Amino acid sequence: LAKTTQPISMDSYEGQEVNITCSHNNIATNDYITWYQQFPSQGPRFIIQGYKTKVTNEVASLFIPADRKSSTLSLPRVSLSDTAVYYCLVGDVMDSSYKLIFGSGTRLLVRP
Amino acid sequence: DVKVTQSSRYLVKRTGEKVFLECVQDMDHENMFWYRQDPGLGLRLIYFSYDVKMKEKGDIPEGYSVSREKKERFSLILESASTNQTSMYLCASATYTGEQYFGPGTRLTVT
């Protein structure tokens, strides 16, 4: 399983764009990159998933360079309610014994 | 919407008791997971199951067992609860593309 490295914490202000980068140097050919968001006392919530290039949904964008050794979660115009822990995970989602390994995540604090 | 439910939000048990944590999902997912989450340690995988009656150990299976008799239900069992098993327990089920949906969690206190 590919190990991921993310910043422990980040600060931002309301209305700014936030980019959280995750390193996964040992990513395997079949691995996908998935991001989750977690608020206190709740389970993580799926945000976005990608394999290569760029993926966008109504919540975020995910940028993956050609070598796939890193990925960047982009949150446009954050609000106070985006304060949460964000986890980057890498794994072969098509493997029947697939399991996710959550790292420590990035604690994002959005200030007024 | 996918719904994952857990039998209790809060639970208090005594040391040595047998504890059952139930998880039910309504989306016909084959993969289900049990995690525990502790301050400063993030989420740690206890067990997961990719089919009925199939189970695989995660990173911290010691002191736990699981049961998956039906596709929609995945149970976590603490055979003899200990104080170091006081934690938040999270259940999840996953789509075939690996999107995990989590339940609300059970905060277990063992005294």
Side-chain angles (χ1 to χ4, degrees):
Chain A
L1 292 168
K3 181 176 168 56
T4 60
T5 303
Q6 326 174 210
I8 293 173
S9 64
M10 294 181 69
D11 279 15
S12 183
Y13 291 91
E14 278 191 295
Q16 289 188 334
E17 179 185 73
V18 171
N19 296 307
I20 306 175
T21 297
C22 178
S23 297
H24 28 81
N25 291 319
N26 297 322
I27 190 168
T29 303
N30 294 332
D31 285 348
Y32 280 69
I33 300 155
T34 312
W35 285 81
Y36 287 81
Q37 173 193 56
Q38 187 179 26
F39 298 112
S41 300
Q42 294 185 24
R45 183 176 72 100
F46 171 88
I47 302 176
I48 198 166
Q49 184 182 76
Y51 183 79
K52 61 180 178 181
T53 61
K54 177 184 174 182
V55 179
T56 297
N57 61 23
E58 64 277 8
V59 176
S61 294
L62 178 59
F63 298 91
I64 306 168
D67 67 5
R68 305 201 323 125
K69 292 183 183 299
S70 67
S71 58
T72 299
L73 174 73
S74 181
L75 305 172
R77 297 180 299 282
V78 294
S79 64
L80 296 177
S81 62
D82 292 316
T83 293
V85 178
Y86 292 83
Y87 295 95
C88 161
L89 296 97
V90 172
D92 182 356
V93 301
M94 300 303 176
D95 184 346
S96 62
S97 64
Y98 169 66
K99 62 179 182 178
L100 283 176
I101 304 296
F102 282 79
S104 300
T106 298
R107 191 172 298 274
L108 173 65
L109 174 63
V110 179
R111 302 178 187 274
Chain B
D1 276 352
V2 175
K3 192 164 184 185
V4 179
T5 57
Q6 295 184 226
S7 48
S8 305
R9 287 302 308 270
Y10 300 94
L11 207 53
V12 179
K13 295 291 182 181
R14 293 192 181 277
T15 301
E17 279 192 86
K18 191 168 186 175
V19 181
F20 293 88
L21 301 181
E22 301 281 333
C23 176
V24 178
Q25 51 99 357
D26 66 357
M27 283 301 292
D28 203 36
H29 291 162
E30 293 184 349
N31 294 342
M32 296 188 73
F33 307 79
W34 274 107
Y35 297 87
R36 64 178 281 179
Q37 186 168 31
D38 302 287
L41 294 176
L43 282 91
R44 292 181 290 168
L45 181 64
I46 305 171
Y47 267 97
F48 68 104
S49 169
Y50 53 89
D51 202 351
V52 174
K53 297 191 186 294
M54 305 300 288
K55 60 186 179 184
E56 292 277 347
K57 292 180 180 179
D59 298 317
I60 51 164
E62 297 78 20
Y64 304 94
S65 62
V66 291
S67 173
R68 184 109 181 259
E69 296 296 321
K70 293 185 178 182
K71 194 173 188 179
E72 67 271 17
R73 188 180 299 268
F74 191 33
S75 302
L76 180 70
I77 303 153
L78 286 66
E79 295 291 341
S80 177
S82 63
T83 54
N84 63 12
Q85 291 179 309
T86 291
S87 185
M88 169 70 89
Y89 289 88
L90 290 157
C91 171
S93 70
T95 68
Y96 73 95
T97 58
E99 291 179 34
Q100 290 204 355
Y101 293 86
F102 285 80
T106 296
R107 189 168 292 282
L108 172 67
T109 301
V110 182
T111 61

